[in-house]
Amino acid sequence: MIKKNYTLVNEFLLLGFKDLHSFQIPFFLLLIAIYSITIVGNILIVALVSMSHQLHSPMYLFLSHLSLCDIFISTNVTPKTLQIILLGKSVISARDCIIQLYLFGAAGTIECCLLTVMSYDRYLAICRPLHYTTIMNVRLLHTLIIWSWMAGFVILLITYILVLELEFCGPNIIDHFFCDLAPLIELSCSDTSVVQIEVSIAAIVLSLFQFMFVIGTYICIFKGIFQITSTSGRQKVFSTCSSHLSVVCTYYGTMITLYVAPSKGVSMNFNKVLSLLNTVVTPMFNPIIYSLRNKEIREAMSKCILVIMALKVNYIEEQGKKHL
């Protein structure tokens, strides 16, 4: 049975960004705009993939789940961050802090897994096109999606339980804009070596190994692209893969810098900037990158707009007939 560990510290104080001064309101408005674009853009991708038959392929189904994960990550962190910016600081209960930590870690793990299976899907489509439909069948597709979500929640449950075992005796000030693991365990008066070892192993397995797998698949993909004789065909395949590769490099780059690379000598402000990029900005870029660089999504969006306009015109005409 897990023992209670909040006998001395029942809440934490998140300091957020202490040196904003006159930039407080502009920064607050900027984050609101980014969060709004993130939610609207990712919901739009999920809706387009759900409604458009031309997007009912493994690549776009993976993309819709990636969008759901981006909504999950951004919603877990951004609202509290906005509160901290507006008030200058914010109090969060120990229970809510650890729950936020767990949900953030789970969402990050899910995103890593989804990016990995998306690279595998592109490898099969380009390097083994004749066997693609046989290998990437409905069963494997659903298995990979379920595995990605289950991996996030199950693996991070281990970290969550280990953090619950820690005791926090004070101080209770976290110099961050959300409950990240490193600043949280620094406040613990318990032995945190087990947590740090488990997190290091999980980070290496989930980040470095999967990143190496993605790099390996893209080496094979680029070899396959260069073997395509048609220039237009080569450009089409490269355009499809470059969107995913851009997202992979941004996401894994910030994650490896934050959680795998040594952090000694790195300022807390630099870590905050990287965390902000990873949790707030990157989820906004994903739908923008995919929508701008993907012809099928642009076409589906255009058709959706035309249908909405046609329905609006019909509604106006019907209302006009009623008044006659």
Side-chain angles (χ1 to χ4, degrees):
M1 186 173 179
I2 300 170
K3 64 183 180 180
K4 299 290 182 182
N5 61 326
Y6 306 134
T7 52
L8 298 178
V9 173
N10 294 314
E11 59 186 26
F12 295 102
L13 181 65
L14 294 169
L15 296 182
F17 304 90
K18 296 177 290 185
D19 304 318
L20 290 175
H21 304 303
S22 59
F23 294 100
Q24 181 180 2
I25 300 301
F27 189 50
F28 176 79
L29 296 175
L30 176 63
L31 285 194
I32 285 183
I34 291 174
Y35 182 58
S36 301
I37 294 170
T38 299
I39 299 301
V40 172
N42 283 293
I43 288 177
L44 182 61
I45 286 183
V46 173
L48 288 174
V49 173
S50 301
M51 294 185 299
S52 177
H53 293 290
Q54 71 184 78
L55 299 181
H56 285 181
S57 64
M59 180 178 73
Y60 295 113
L61 288 173
F62 288 136
L63 177 59
S64 66
H65 281 269
L66 185 67
S67 292
L68 286 173
C69 189
D70 285 331
I71 294 171
F72 187 20
I73 291 174
S74 187
T75 303
N76 182 46
V77 173
T78 308
K80 193 67 178 179
T81 304
L82 291 170
Q83 182 186 8
I84 294 170
I85 294 171
L86 200 60
L87 300 178
K89 56 186 176 180
S90 180
V91 174
I92 185 172
S93 68
R95 182 198 63 182
D96 291 344
C97 183
I98 296 180
I99 289 174
Q100 185 186 51
L101 171 67
Y102 170 66
L103 294 177
F104 168 71
T109 304
I110 294 165
E111 182 128 353
C112 282
C113 295
L114 287 172
L115 290 173
T116 301
V117 297
M118 288 175 76
S119 69
Y120 177 64
D121 173 72
R122 290 299 83 206
Y123 162 76
L124 290 178
I126 295 167
C127 300
R128 303 188 65 183
L130 298 178
H131 301 91
Y132 177 73
T133 53
T134 304
I135 298 174
M136 188 57 71
N137 51 42
V138 175
R139 182 177 180 180
L140 179 60
L141 173 65
H142 291 162
T143 300
L144 291 174
I145 291 173
I146 294 171
W147 170 79
S148 297
W149 285 91
M150 289 296 294
F153 287 110
V154 172
I155 292 174
L156 264 294
L157 188 61
I158 300 171
T159 305
Y160 177 72
I161 292 173
L162 291 175
V163 172
L164 279 177
E165 291 287 342
L166 299 178
E167 293 183 352
F168 297 93
C169 312
N172 67 337
I173 299 174
I174 299 177
D175 187 13
H176 214 310
F177 60 90
F178 73 103
C179 290
D180 202 2
L181 182 64
L184 180 63
I185 62 176
E186 284 181 2
L187 300 179
S188 175
C189 51
S190 306
D191 182 12
T192 61
S193 58
V194 176
V195 181
Q196 291 174 336
I197 292 171
E198 187 273 334
V199 169
S200 298
I201 294 172
I204 291 172
V205 172
L206 295 172
S207 297
L208 285 180
F209 284 1
Q210 292 198 78
F211 184 64
M212 290 170 63
F213 177 83
V214 172
I215 295 299
T217 57
Y218 267 94
I219 291 173
C220 297
I221 286 171
F222 287 138
K223 287 181 180 178
I225 291 174
F226 289 130
Q227 291 174 358
I228 299 174
T229 55
S230 169
T231 304
S232 59
R234 189 184 304 167
Q235 289 177 346
K236 181 180 179 181
V237 172
F238 183 77
S239 177
T240 302
C241 294
S242 61
S243 300
H244 178 253
L245 191 59
S246 301
V247 174
V248 166
C249 291
T250 303
Y251 187 79
Y252 275 107
T254 54
M255 177 168 284
I256 290 172
T257 304
L258 277 170
Y259 300 108
V260 181
S263 59
K264 289 184 178 179
V266 180
S267 69
M268 179 56 69
N269 287 333
F270 180 70
N271 280 339
K272 287 179 186 178
V273 171
L274 286 178
S275 295
L276 192 69
L277 179 66
N278 195 40
T279 58
V280 179
V281 180
T282 300
M284 178 193 69
F285 279 149
N286 289 355
I288 294 175
I289 290 172
Y290 279 106
S291 60
L292 291 179
R293 298 182 64 88
N294 193 285
K295 182 180 178 181
E296 285 80 6
I297 288 182
R298 292 200 304 270
E299 289 178 352
M301 194 179 302
S302 299
K303 289 179 181 178
C304 183
I305 292 172
L306 290 174
V307 169
I308 293 172
M309 290 177 64
L311 291 173
K312 186 176 181 180
V313 170
N314 290 336
Y315 175 77
I316 293 172
E317 290 178 351
E318 290 176 0
Q319 293 297 316
K321 289 177 182 179
K322 289 179 180 180
H323 290 290
L324 291 177

